[in-house]
Amino acid sequence: MNNSLSGKSIVWIEDDKFLGKMVSDRIGKTGARLAIVTDGLKAFETVRAEMPDVVILDLLMSNLDGFEILKLLKADPATKPIPVLVLSNLGQQEEIARARELGAARFVVKATIGLDGIIPEIEKVISSR
């Protein structure tokens, strides 16, 4: 497997624990460090503490939605430079446009990408930094 993620740090904000486990297993094989946050309220403080190479963000979260989390990340000078890959089931043009306006580096609709497609998307975001 390609090791371009080896040594990289990833924070994934996702409340679907089943999907989180499957992706965690895949990312673990790349040598990257992964922190999964399942609560929207803890997302910002986790990113602040970890200062990862990339944040993967679901928009439909409990407590605080992904748009609010993205606003917080991009409003803070410390976390603003961290690229955010939005990975969501939402996929309407308005939602994609709103995420991009708020500073998302990429937007991927979960339904259009298989598990094997997530790693290359993460690599694209990190390499474009």
Side-chain angles (χ1 to χ4, degrees):
M1 181 171 261
N2 188 340
N3 269 1
S4 66
L5 293 182
S6 183
K8 299 294 185 187
S9 171
I10 301 167
V11 171
W12 191 21
I13 303 163
E14 168 65 67
D15 59 0
D16 180 334
K17 290 185 172 87
F18 178 71
L19 181 61
K21 170 80 176 106
M22 289 193 309
V23 173
S24 176
D25 291 345
R26 298 275 167 114
I27 290 174
K29 292 175 184 164
T30 69
R33 287 183 302 115
L34 176 67
I36 298 178
V37 184
T38 57
D39 182 328
L41 291 175
K42 293 185 180 142
F44 178 72
E45 64 191 52
T46 301
V47 172
R48 248 339 266 261
E50 295 283 328
M51 294 305 289
D53 294 290
V54 65
V55 171
I56 305 170
L57 176 63
D58 185 15
L59 294 176
L60 298 173
M61 292 290 300
S62 55
N63 298 328
L64 193 63
D65 76 27
F67 290 116
E68 292 301 317
I69 295 165
L70 186 54
K71 270 188 217 168
L72 287 171
L73 292 174
K74 294 305 176 181
D76 185 302
T79 57
K80 184 177 182 175
I82 300 169
V84 177
L85 166 63
V86 174
L87 183 64
S88 180
N89 281 323
L90 296 177
Q92 300 297 318
Q93 276 311 121
E94 307 85 64
E95 291 142 354
I96 295 169
R98 183 172 174 208
R100 290 232 165 98
E101 283 166 20
L102 291 173
R106 286 183 76 76
F107 192 111
V108 178
V109 179
K110 286 179 187 175
T112 66
I113 190 168
L115 275 179
D116 292 330
I118 292 173
I119 303 287
E121 290 295 334
I122 296 168
E123 290 170 336
K124 283 179 202 168
V125 170
I126 289 177
S127 68
S128 68
R129 247 185 122 170

